[in-house]
């Protein structure tokens, strides 16, 4: 009797794995027994339905149980040497034929023994024959066979694994050996949590995933693993939160509170109820001893800027520095201007810090370093090494998805226990924000200022766009401006889309010959982009033809129409973002989707649903379901943990439950997960918990 195995044992402890295979596994990140049992199948073959040879109808995968009557090697090398095995199951004779590894199979496939056989039969000379079927000897008292006659796991294997003899069959056998030798897989949460919530014991869940008894068992096992992966993530997030909260900051924000209130009173408009709520949440965080880490989600135009300014004024009027990081110069300038308009007549010194060749840059840097400047608004240039603050109290990051995690760290670490407010205009579905920003507090602006028109979304077939052009003519005549959006820049031979270039020429030449039209796309330099944007901003340009590079945050009250070509090419959340660029002034606003011929009917329904809703969260949920979490933010920000089984779309319930449980745990004193090496591995090595902050 072999001794029991431990999760941390090397693979060579398993019967059948030698040092050569061990090193191939290791190249694929599978080093220990634990790694191997967590190497879950890619898919399954259902070989559980057994039928009689006489019942075979067509060449679908089937399984039979039959005795070997005899085997013979036929032909020579040229004449296709092959092993032909006659199988008899009491109804008919079928053949199993092998062209490769003949010597191996001759030894294994002994006449008189009964085998279970799976494969795709084909008719040959009036007999059913199987070419290289899965065959496994049926021995009495040995229980369910491993490779056929059941739901059989298929593993995802690299070329190198295959070449070194690591097949799905091999892995099945290895894992079966682990379980039969006995390996203790602890489940420290079983009694208290899993059992109560109808999950499996961790050991059973893993076993079911490799050797499921039926397909329903797979689902339940996956839910169990998903729950544990989420729990591991949430426990880590809670630990980080705990650590951050233990970092007592000592700033005294008493003085600024009044100034911040006065600022709010002085605004030319009343705050919306949700702005008020969010501002008070932020004030609480600022006054609190723990450094703030808060994500503010608010649809485009919901008024995040004044919220940020109220917080910055609170900090700056208390004598500390507050910085606002914006992704582009245009946005930085816009915020700077807004600040001056709304608070310019107070004695609070403010600095705008932008790209390389800014005038007086050295002086600005000094002002920041010496603490002369209390409010600092800037672009990526704030991240530069030689920018240091005298005492940075608060950092606000606008359009946070435009910045990477390291950039956030960089700016936060320019202060000590810096309070941090991240802002995003993309409503993030709850399940996604829990996994991406689980460590943060969440504030939501879910209403727009009342004087704002809702944007009406209209669908037109591209073939009937003349009517659209006519209406737009009228609006242009009234002094309105128009965004015209295309999904790509240039015509390409492979994708038949109207490109922004061609569209630009077309609009300029034939459709709106007397209108000033500008073109904006991703191949322009940052400087060129800014200058095109500027000419739209100051009203010189009337129609801005653009790819999606136009700024989310830019506030152009005069633009009331956005036309989107090939809307089927965009994600719904992205369409919603685009739509948010109009309707910022007081006049009626429209989003016009120009639909191509032959639009897929399902896509059309989706776009119609989109047109009906103005609820960013609802649309974000739809988008997440349609596109999956990886694509939700596009390319810049992903950082979702590499879960093995957990999927935030399908396992939303498990995610919420794991969050609740992690929050109710005594994170500091609960020792159960200290050595829970099992799930430390769930997050791949070097995996940053996204949103994880170092304070
Ligand atoms: P976003 O949330 O997209 O960043 P902004 O902060 O740029 O939105 O606000 C959009 C516009 O709405 C700005 O011109 C701002 O001054 C204005 N605004 C903000 N809050 C209110 C309010 N409560 N009532 C009316 N207008 C508001
Ligand atoms: Mg904004």
């Amino acid at each position: 009797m072999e001794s029991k195995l431990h999760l941390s044992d090397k693979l060579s402890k398993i019967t059948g794995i030698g040092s050569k295979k061990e090193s191939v596994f290791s190249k694929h990140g599978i080093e220990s027994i634990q790694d191997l049992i967590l190497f879950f199948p890619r898919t399954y073959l259902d070989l559980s339905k057994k039928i009689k040879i006489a019942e075979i109808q067509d060449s679908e995968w089937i399984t039979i149980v039959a005795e070997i009557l005899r085997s013979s090697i036929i032909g020579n090398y040229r004449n296709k040497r092959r092993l032909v095995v006659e199988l008899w199951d009491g109804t008919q004779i079928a053949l199993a034929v092998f062209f490769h590894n003949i010597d191996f199979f001759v030894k294994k496939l002994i006449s008189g023994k009964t085998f279970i056989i799976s494969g795709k039969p084909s008719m040959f000379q009036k007999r059913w024959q199987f070419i290289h079927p899965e065959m496994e000897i049926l021995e009495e008292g040995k229980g369910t066979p491993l490779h056929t006659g059941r739901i059989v796991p298929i593993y995802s294997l690299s070329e190198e694994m295959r070449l070194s003899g690591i097949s799905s069959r091999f892995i099945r056998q290895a894992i079966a050996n682990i379980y039969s030798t006995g390996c203790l897989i602890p489940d420290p949460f079983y009694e208290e949590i899993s059992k109560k919530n109808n999950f499996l014991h961790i050991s059973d869940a893993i076993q079911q995933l490799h050797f499921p008894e039926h397909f329903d068992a797979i689902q339940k096992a996956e839910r169990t693993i998903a729950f544990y992966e989420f729990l591991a993530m949430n426990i880590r997030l809670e630990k980080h939160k705990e650590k951050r909260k233990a970092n007592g900051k000592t700033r005294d924000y008493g003085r600024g509170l009044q100034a911040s209130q006065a600022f709010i009173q002085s605004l030319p408009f009343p705050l919306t109820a949700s702005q008020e709520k969010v501002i008070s949440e932020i004030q609480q965080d600022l006054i609190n001893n723990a450094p703030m880490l808060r994500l503010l989600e608010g649809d485009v135009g919901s008024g995040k800027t004044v919220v940020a300014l109220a917080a910055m004024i609170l900090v700056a009027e208390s004598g500390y520095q507050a910085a606002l990081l914006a992704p582009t110069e245009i946005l930085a300038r816009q915020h700077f201007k807004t600040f001056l308009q709304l608070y310019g007549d107070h004695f609070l010194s403010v600095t705008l810090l932008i790209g390389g060749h800014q005038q007086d840059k050295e002086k600005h840097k000094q002002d920041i370093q010496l603490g002369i400047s209390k409010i600092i608004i800037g672009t990526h240039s704030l991240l530069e090494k030689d920018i240091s603050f005298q005492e940075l109290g608060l950092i606000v990051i606008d359009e946070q998805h435009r910045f990477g995690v390291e950039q956030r760290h960089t700016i936060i670490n320019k202060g000590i226990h810096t309070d941090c407010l991240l802002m995003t205009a993309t409503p993030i579905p709850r399940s996604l924000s829990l996994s991406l920003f689980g460590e943060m507090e969440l504030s939501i602006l879910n209403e727009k200022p009342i004087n704002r028109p809702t944007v009406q979304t209209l669908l037109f077939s591209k073939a009937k766009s003349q009517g659209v052009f006519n209406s737009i003519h009228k609006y242009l005549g009234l002094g309105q401006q128009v965004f015209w959006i295309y999904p790509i820049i240039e015509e390409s031979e492979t994708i038949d889309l109207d490109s922004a270039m061609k569209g630009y020429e077309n609009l300029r030449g034939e459709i709106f010959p007397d209108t000033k039209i500008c073109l904006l796309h991703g191949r322009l330099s940052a400087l060129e982009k800014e200058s095109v944007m500027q000419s739209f901003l100051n009203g010189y340009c009337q129609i801005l033809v653009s790819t999606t590079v136009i700024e989310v945050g830019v506030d152009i009250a005069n633009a009331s129409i956005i036309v989107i070509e090939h809307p089927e090419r965009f994600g719904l959340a992205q369409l919603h973002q685009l739509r948010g660029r109009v309707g910022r002034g007081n006049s009626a606003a429209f989003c016009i989707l120009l639909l191509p011929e032959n639009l897929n009917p399902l896509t059309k329904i989706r776009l119609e649903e989109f047109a009906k809703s103005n609820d960013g969260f609802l649309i974000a949920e739809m988008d997440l379901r349609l596109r999956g979490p990886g694509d939700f933010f596009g390319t810049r920000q992903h950082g979702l943990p590499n879960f093995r089984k957990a999927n935030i779309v399908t396992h939303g319930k498990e995610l919420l439950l794991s969050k609740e449980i992690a929050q109710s745990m005594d994170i500091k004193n609960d020792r159960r997960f200290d050595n829970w090496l099992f799930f430390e591995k769930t997050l791949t090595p070097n995996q940053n918990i996204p949103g994880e902050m170092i304070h």
Side-chain angles (χ1 to χ4, degrees), residues 283-347:
Q283 283 174 346
Q284 277 309 315
D285 278 5
L286 290 173
I287 296 166
N288 204 322
N289 276 339
M292 168 169 78
L293 181 53
R294 186 172 280 278
L295 177 68
L296 170 56
E297 287 181 47
D299 223 338
V300 204
S302 57
K304 292 183 289 295
T305 315
V306 291
V307 171
L309 292 185
M312 292 173 76
I313 288 167
L314 192 158
V315 171
E317 291 285 15
S318 305
Y320 308 97
Q321 290 173 300
L324 193 157
L325 179 60
T328 62
E329 223 171 287
I330 289 208
L331 279 178
R333 283 183 196 283
Q334 179 177 301
H335 291 320
F336 183 67
K337 210 170 107 195
T338 307
F339 177 83
L340 289 181
Q341 268 167 10
L342 299 177
Y343 206 71
D345 48 355
H346 289 71
F347 298 101

Side-chain angles (χ1 to χ4, degrees), residues 521-536:
H521 57 75
R523 299 228 187 116
L524 298 179
S525 71
L527 213 66
E528 289 168 320
K529 275 187 219 155
E530 299 254 348
S531 97
V532 173
M533 214 48 217
Q534 202 60 49
S535 77
F536 192 58

